[in-house]
Amino acid sequence: MADKIKQGVAETFDASQSSEAFFSKNKKVILGAIAAVVIIIAGFFLYKSFVAGPREEKASTALAKGQEYFNSEQFDKALNGDGAGYVGFARIADDYSSTDAGNLAKLYAGLCNANLGKWEAASKFLDSYSPASDVMVSPAAVAALGNAYANLNQLDKAVDNLKKAAKMADSKDADGANSSLSPLFLIQAGEILESQGKKDEALTLYQDIKKKYVNSMLVQTSEIDKYIERASTK
């Protein structure tokens, strides 16, 4: 999982690329990372649900089929149901909103919509998801919300959520610096700031990455210096 995220972080982005191209490329990296994390922890949520009472158990049973569709990238069926008994993440999120499984269904529904390019719906589901205190899924979910806002051209909200995601990831790391997730989120925030003409703010983010996340691929390969140099050019 960490290797996959680091690989995404290490990718470079030419200054001539359009913002749309950047968002599209990063969407795949971020959503892929989140999906992988969700799949890994899904078993934990299901176990927790099965011992938490009948309502949780029923929600978890409904969720399991959707996870199969999600894992096989059948996002429309995962989201809206298959017409053969499985009702879809959107319906599960609504019917079981007070349960842990229902909350997870909101995250899945948001990711499904994002993968289908339905960014307005994605933002609503991801915003309704209640982050927990975990080190990986919740920060990644907040970053996914930021990515949705970016694709809706709500760039200030996008930057705020990406910064929030990095802060959340750092707060759960023993060293106070999550070198796998946080640089990825902050790099995207910096690119968005550059697209807004806010080079000074982007430069500050890039410099902070170099100083704080010394174990990240961006810093160890000196890739961050390219971002710093670009943002320093007036």
Side-chain angles (χ1 to χ4, degrees):
M1 179 63 216
D3 289 342
K4 180 177 181 180
I5 296 172
K6 288 179 180 178
Q7 180 182 354
V9 174
E11 293 182 1
T12 60
F13 303 93
D14 189 276
S16 64
Q17 288 180 309
S18 68
S19 295
E20 181 179 356
F22 172 79
F23 297 147
S24 177
K25 190 171 186 179
N26 277 270
K27 176 193 73 174
K28 293 179 181 179
V29 174
I30 293 176
L31 295 183
I34 298 166
V37 173
V38 171
I39 291 167
I40 290 170
I41 60 95
F44 167 76
F45 275 92
L46 291 176
Y47 170 79
K48 182 178 179 181
S49 297
F50 274 120
V51 298
R55 185 168 172 77
E56 285 282 9
E57 182 175 347
K58 189 173 182 179
S60 296
T61 301
L63 199 67
K65 186 62 178 180
Q67 288 170 328
E68 292 180 16
Y69 286 130
F70 185 89
N71 295 350
S72 61
E73 299 185 1
Q74 298 183 64
F75 299 116
D76 187 66
K77 282 187 177 180
L79 177 65
N80 299 308
D82 58 10
Y86 167 66
V87 298
F89 287 133
R91 176 74 177 274
I92 296 169
D94 184 54
D95 289 350
Y96 301 97
S97 59
S98 62
T99 68
D100 289 337
N103 187 45
L104 186 59
K106 294 175 184 177
L107 176 54
Y108 271 120
L111 295 177
C112 286
N113 275 293
N115 278 286
L116 293 168
K118 299 177 180 179
W119 294 107
E120 187 68 44
S123 68
K124 291 179 179 179
F125 276 111
L126 292 169
D127 187 47
S128 67
Y129 171 72
S130 298
S133 59
D134 60 277
V135 69
M136 295 287 280
V137 176
S138 292
V142 173
L145 177 59
N147 193 264
Y149 283 136
N151 280 275
L152 291 169
N153 206 35
Q154 298 180 37
L155 302 185
D156 289 339
K157 284 186 176 182
V159 170
D160 287 345
N161 277 275
L162 288 161
K163 288 181 177 179
K164 179 181 177 182
K167 187 175 182 179
M168 288 176 66
D170 288 343
S171 70
K172 302 303 176 184
D173 190 272
D175 298 323
N178 188 317
S179 293
S180 294
L181 289 178
S182 296
L184 172 62
F185 303 153
L186 294 176
I187 278 291
Q188 189 182 21
E191 290 271 5
I192 294 171
L193 288 168
E194 285 191 75
S195 76
Q196 294 178 291
K198 300 177 180 179
K199 282 196 169 185
D200 289 342
E201 291 183 45
L203 177 59
T204 297
L205 280 184
Y206 300 150
Q207 290 172 332
D208 287 346
I209 290 171
K210 184 173 183 178
K211 180 179 179 181
K212 185 173 183 179
Y213 305 101
V214 294
N215 294 320
S216 71
M217 290 293 292
L218 275 169
V219 176
Q220 291 188 351
T221 62
S222 299
E223 191 65 37
I224 190 62
D225 292 333
K226 296 180 182 179
Y227 292 91
I228 291 173
E229 181 180 358
R230 189 178 70 205
S232 299
T233 303
K234 303 300 182 182

